């Protein structure tokens, strides 16, 4: 199984060093991908902008939105152009993970319809495919008609979306058993859609290593997920804070059928990249 690492784009205090140097260290350390997560009503870096910066200073590593809340981007042609630009700029390294999102305040501040976000995503997926197929808004990458595409979520509709439009499914947090169940649902949806290709299956977890790692996880995740109430404590408790747990998560998600596990940070310090690489070695 591949192991990726997230950019700290949604960690309070993120800066240039936590984006540019982080990306360069991640590529040098051999991670398979750089991931981003998405919130609008939070003092964070916008995912596509962060990945554009990473694309400019790397050559090999995949760039993954895990996920991007696409219904917040109501101008679908502009989203298609932004994604295709990053894909072209990076030489075909972008994979868009798209999902509906779950925080109503993101939609309120963005002036978009929270209740209609599922319908909006369905319409966007069809429109994105058309725009990319026609090279209507930006240059495509030779040999592929669009960026890579994953669908995130746990609603039954998620898996039908993945089979109709995407390359696979990404699980936005959860256990290996949950991944195994979702992976089978994705494979079943692919079969029902008449597809013979195997879907790509991606999972994520959080980490903070070294002295103060547990405190960083508690501070960062506790703040980011405060809106979930007691569930935030569970997310904090699940964070990787030592090497044995990092390797254990990697092996457990691989055994559950994952193709890639992306470790998302709770700190903006680029030293975390090397600490994770050492822990997984």
């Amino acid at each position: 199984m591949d192991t990726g690492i997230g950019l700290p784009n949604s960690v309070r205090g993120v800066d240039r060093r936590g984006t540019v140097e982080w990306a360069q260290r991640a590529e040098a350390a051999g991670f398979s991908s750089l991931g981003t997560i998405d919130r609008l009503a939070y003092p964070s870096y916008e995912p596509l902008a962060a990945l554009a910066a990473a694309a400019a200073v790397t050559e090999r590593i995949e760039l993954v939105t895990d996920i991007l809340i696409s219904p917040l981007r109501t101008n679908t042609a502009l989203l298609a152009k932004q994604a295709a630009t990053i894909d072209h700029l990076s030489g075909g390294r972008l994979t868009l993970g798209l999902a509906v999102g779950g925080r109503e305040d993101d939609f309120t501040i963005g002036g978009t319809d929270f209740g209609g976000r599922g319908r909006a995503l369905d319409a966007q997926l069809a429109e994105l495919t058309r725009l990319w197929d026609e090279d209507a808004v930006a240059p495509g990458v030779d040999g592929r008609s669009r960026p890579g595409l994953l669908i995130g979520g746990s609603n039954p509709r998620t898996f039908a979306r993945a089979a109709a439009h995407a390359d696979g499914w990404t699980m936005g947090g959860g256990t290996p058993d949950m991944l195994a169940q979702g992976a089978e649902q994705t494979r079943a949806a692919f079969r029902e859609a008449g597809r013979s290709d195997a879907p790509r299956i991606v999972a994520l977890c959080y980490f903070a290593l070294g002295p103060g790692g547990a405190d960083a996880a508690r501070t960062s995740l506790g703040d980011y997920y405060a809106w979930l109430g007691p569930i935030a404590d569970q997310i904090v408790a699940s964070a990787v804070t030592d090497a044995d747990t990092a390797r254990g998560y990697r092996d457990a998600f691989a055994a559950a059928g994952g193709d890639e596990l992306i470790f998302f940070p709770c700190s903006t310090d680029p030293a975390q990249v090397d600490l994770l690489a050492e822990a997984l070695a």
Side-chain angles (χ1 to χ4, degrees):
M1 186 179 68
D2 291 332
T3 52
I5 187 169
L7 284 169
N9 75 295
S10 284
V11 180
R12 282 186 183 270
V14 65
D15 57 11
R16 175 183 172 85
R17 185 166 176 258
T19 304
V20 172
E21 183 180 338
W22 188 289
Q24 292 170 323
R25 286 197 188 198
E27 180 159 84
F31 286 103
S32 55
S33 65
L34 278 167
T36 54
I37 53 180
D38 193 15
R39 285 268 301 274
L40 186 55
Y42 197 78
S44 54
Y45 276 6
E46 197 282 325
L48 292 175
L51 289 181
V57 297
T58 58
E59 298 292 336
R60 173 200 58 81
I61 198 165
E62 185 182 4
L63 311 167
V64 183
T65 62
D66 193 26
I67 51 72
L68 190 78
I69 307 171
S70 61
L72 292 175
R73 282 83 178 169
T74 56
N75 187 328
T76 303
L78 179 58
L79 173 60
K81 189 178 189 75
Q82 290 169 325
T85 298
I86 296 173
D87 197 43
H88 194 272
L89 176 69
S90 66
R93 289 187 282 139
L94 178 66
T95 291
L96 280 178
L98 303 179
V100 297
R103 284 186 54 105
E104 191 166 358
D105 61 347
D106 285 332
F107 289 79
T108 299
I109 199 172
T112 50
D113 178 18
F114 182 71
R117 65 197 190 282
R119 295 186 297 275
L121 177 56
D122 287 331
Q124 282 184 313
L125 287 168
E127 182 68 0
L128 287 169
T129 299
R130 183 188 68 80
L131 291 166
W132 287 329
D133 283 347
E134 296 175 0
D135 283 343
V137 293
V141 176
D142 290 344
R144 69 192 224 155
S145 62
R146 59 164 173 78
L149 195 57
L150 300 171
I151 304 299
S154 57
N155 185 289
R157 179 64 187 147
T158 296
F159 308 104
R161 290 181 181 121
H165 298 285
D167 305 310
W169 171 67
T170 179
M171 184 178 74
T175 66
D177 286 345
M178 292 167 65
L179 182 79
Q181 182 179 5
E184 182 48 45
Q185 289 176 277
T186 308
R187 296 185 190 105
F190 269 49
R191 291 192 296 269
E192 291 170 10
R195 294 181 59 166
S196 60
D197 54 323
R200 181 181 177 186
I201 305 297
V202 178
L204 67 80
C205 64
Y206 292 101
F207 82 97
L209 297 170
D215 289 338
R218 187 177 306 109
T219 299
S220 178
L221 296 176
D223 181 52
Y224 193 79
Y225 288 106
W227 65 284
L228 290 174
I231 295 175
D233 295 333
Q234 299 175 27
I235 297 172
V236 170
S238 73
V240 171
T241 57
D242 62 79
D244 287 343
T245 304
R247 292 191 293 270
Y249 274 27
R250 176 196 61 195
D251 296 345
F253 280 103
D259 295 306
E260 183 172 29
L261 178 62
I262 303 178
F263 289 79
F264 277 90
C266 304
S267 166
T268 64
D269 184 356
Q272 288 288 314
V273 177
D274 302 312
L275 287 173
L276 182 60
E278 293 166 6
L280 293 172

